[in-house]
Amino acid sequence: MKNIISAAVILLGAAATVSAQQTLTTREAPPPLGTPKAFHIPPRHDITLANGMKVTLVQFGKIPKASIYLELRTGHIDEAATQTWLADVTTDLMREGTTTRSATQIADDVAGMGGELTTSASDDMSQIGGAVLGERAADMVKLVADVAQHPLLPESELARIKANEARNLAIALSQPQPVAQEAYARQVYGDHPYGRAFPTAAMLNGYTIAQVRDFYARNFGAARAHLYVVGVFDPASVERAARDAFSGWRAGARPTVHPPTPSTKRTVTLIDRPGSVQSTLILGVPVPGPTSADYIQLNVMDALLGGTFGSRITTNIREQKGYTYSPYSYVSTHYHDANWAEQADVTTAVTGASLKEIFGEIARLQSAAPGEPELSGIKNNMIGLFTLRNASRGGIVNQLSFVDEQGLGNSYLADYVKHVLAVTPAEVQHMAQTYLKPEHMTLVVVGDRKTVDPQLAPYRVNK
């Protein structure tokens, strides 16, 4: 976070702005951009087992390693209102041994393969897996299958797991960014699981081993599972290992489909953080999800407006005004759901001024389409980032998992570059006009109330 602007700098603001604009002008004359090339996703070999579980094998790269991840369509979406983070406790506990291996044996076995095992839970997905030497990929598939199907879920380790999560909770609640994100999610999604970011300490401490085992029994099964193996490995042995290790798994329940009804009501929430020298602000609005025909155009609009380092909002409040160091916007997604948001840590004294500039940049894009040179630079940036995301084994797993979860089909990744390049200035303007309506936006600020509250007065009006 950039330090508070000194009084002297404020007095010299006009001169500083001119200087910044001159610097910006200098940086805005890069060499001509080359023509982006089409990106080819490595071919995938898909298998569906009789119990409904899916397996995808992708030969990729030259480094003799393989990433093996089992993605499961369960997570916070399957928690009741009194069970926030129960999915996290469950996946943490799954590393603590199976019916045939202790936690130490699991760690030793994976280390002997040249890797480590991780487990995690998020809103819609849980994950079990890791990266190992390619020659041990089949062994890792068997180990992941053991952890997924036969977890011991030992009561003896539950208190320690809950204590670890309690520390994570305390750390999160001590920082303004997670506090702001939790309040934003709660305002947008209400009591839907997507809106319940944090448990209370009492709720977390109260989880019993019976609740953990019940959560596992209800939500883990082959019908929700998709195994991805990406890297350098022997495909025949890995496929055989997957069939042998997972074919006997019970199908279990189908994935939960529980779409939210996100709020489009203009709200302003101020969370007091007395004495804070900066405010954390988030403003956002629901937008169409990944299956929408507008989704790629929305992402191009986001990249131009606030989602890249050279975007308009970043240039304005970081480079020109010096209000913040690292503002950013994003289109975040759930299953068939998305919202656009801008987030920044700004100097407390310019909280209102920062909001004025952000809303001003939204209005500017709504009133006039961007020029072709500006849009071309943004699109080339997006294509470069897309290529980077697909340049690693883990990145490919994430991309394939996203496409499969959302039901986008293989053409989404294959045609991504072509579709980004096809977005026009008028379409970017149309996205801003159609979806970034200030009267529908949720605004959350975490900061010093006595300084910030008067600055929020203009934004409490629904306009």
Side-chain angles (χ1 to χ4, degrees):
M1 176 65 195
K2 184 170 287 185
N3 292 331
I4 298 175
I5 303 170
S6 68
V9 172
I10 292 174
L11 292 173
L12 295 173
T17 300
V18 171
S19 176
Q21 290 172 339
Q22 289 172 340
T23 302
L24 187 63
T25 301
T26 301
R27 288 205 302 269
E28 284 179 343
L33 296 169
T35 302
K37 296 181 180 178
F39 182 79
H40 301 289
I41 299 294
R44 55 188 291 174
H45 175 52
D46 294 314
I47 307 160
T48 300
L49 305 182
N51 55 16
M53 178 174 157
K54 295 181 172 57
V55 178
T56 296
L57 310 181
V58 177
Q59 293 286 314
F60 172 77
K62 296 181 179 178
I63 299 173
K65 294 197 72 173
S67 294
I68 295 100
Y69 288 97
L70 182 67
E71 305 281 351
L72 294 125
R73 287 277 303 277
T74 186
H76 305 145
I77 189 69
D78 291 307
E79 296 171 339
T82 57
Q83 294 181 331
T84 306
W85 283 18
L86 183 58
D88 304 81
V89 173
T90 302
T91 53
D92 286 354
L93 205 55
M94 291 177 74
R95 290 195 302 271
E96 299 300 325
T98 69
T99 54
T100 57
R101 308 179 207 224
S102 68
T104 301
Q105 286 175 315
I106 290 174
D108 289 346
D109 287 351
V110 180
M113 302 176 200
E116 63 178 349
L117 180 78
T118 62
T119 58
S120 63
S122 60
D123 280 355
D124 291 317
M125 302 288 287
S126 294
Q127 185 186 74
I128 304 168
V132 298
L133 296 172
E135 65 196 49
R136 303 299 302 275
D139 294 328
M140 184 63 170
V141 168
K142 296 174 186 174
L143 188 144
V144 169
D146 190 25
V147 172
Q149 297 175 68
H150 312 117
L152 193 58
L153 302 174
E155 185 172 12
S156 59
E157 304 303 318
L158 180 58
R160 179 174 57 81
I161 295 297
K162 290 193 296 186
N164 289 340
E165 291 292 358
R167 278 192 290 274
N168 294 335
L169 177 63
I171 291 170
L173 293 176
S174 70
Q175 299 174 337
Q177 296 85 5
V179 170
Q181 289 164 354
E182 189 273 343
Y184 177 77
R186 181 161 27 87
Q187 289 294 330
V188 172
Y189 293 112
D191 196 41
H192 187 276
Y194 297 160
R196 300 193 294 259
F198 297 143
T200 65
M203 182 190 298
L204 181 59
N205 189 51
Y207 293 145
T208 66
I209 196 63
Q211 288 176 297
V212 172
R213 290 171 178 168
D214 177 68
F215 186 86
Y216 169 81
R218 286 188 293 106
N219 298 305
F220 284 73
R224 295 186 175 191
H226 195 145
L227 179 72
Y228 295 91
V229 182
V230 177
V232 175
F233 57 90
D234 176 51
S237 66
V238 168
E239 178 175 343
R240 186 164 55 249
R243 290 185 182 277
D244 290 346
F246 285 104
S247 290
W249 198 7
R250 65 182 178 86
R254 298 289 303 167
T256 299
V257 177
H258 181 18
T261 306
S263 170
T264 55
K265 180 182 177 183
R266 174 72 169 267
T267 62
V268 178
T269 302
L270 172 58
I271 299 173
D272 194 16
R273 200 163 188 262
S276 178
V277 298
Q278 62 185 30
S279 301
T280 296
L281 61 88
I282 303 177
L283 65 90
V285 65
V287 295
T291 56
S292 166
D294 288 344
Y295 184 68
I296 288 180
Q297 295 176 15
L298 267 168
N299 277 272
V300 175
M301 181 276 294
D302 167 68
L304 184 139
L305 184 60
T308 58
F309 193 74
S311 63
R312 291 185 174 187
I313 293 175
T314 301
T315 298
N316 183 329
I317 64 174
R318 182 187 189 277
E319 300 293 318
Q320 296 177 351
K321 302 297 191 304
Y323 293 164
T324 178
Y325 187 73
S326 54
Y328 60 97
S329 70
Y330 49 88
V331 178
S332 64
T333 62
H334 292 102
Y335 176 68
H336 292 185
D337 168 78
N339 70 86
W340 175 88
E342 169 73 29
Q343 180 169 345
D345 297 327
V346 305
T347 303
T348 301
V350 294
T351 303
S354 299
L355 289 170
K356 179 182 178 182
E357 296 301 328
I358 293 169
F359 280 113
E361 289 295 352
I362 293 170
R364 182 161 76 98
L365 186 56
Q366 291 171 332
S367 64
E372 282 283 2
E374 179 187 16
L375 182 57
S376 294
I378 291 295
K379 291 193 293 189
N380 280 331
N381 181 275
M382 287 182 66
I383 292 168
L385 292 174
F386 174 76
T387 302
L388 286 175
R389 283 198 295 271
N390 288 288
S392 68
R393 298 182 307 275
I396 292 175
V397 170
N398 291 337
Q399 292 277 11
L400 295 180
S401 176
F402 171 75
V403 166
D404 293 339
E405 175 202 4
Q406 301 287 348
L408 298 176
N410 291 333
S411 62
Y412 177 84
L413 295 177
D415 295 336
Y416 181 85
V417 171
K418 178 177 68 177
H419 287 158
V420 169
L421 288 174
V423 176
T424 67
E427 288 171 336
V428 170
Q429 180 188 16
H430 181 63
M431 291 298 102
Q433 292 172 334
T434 303
Y435 298 115
L436 302 190
K437 296 183 181 299
E439 65 270 25
H440 292 171
M441 289 191 176
T442 294
L443 169 61
V444 173
V445 179
V446 178
D448 182 62
R449 180 182 296 277
K450 67 179 185 302
T451 305
V452 172
D453 195 44
Q455 301 179 56
L456 296 184
Y459 306 100
R460 296 187 189 282
V461 179
N462 195 359
K463 64 181 181 180

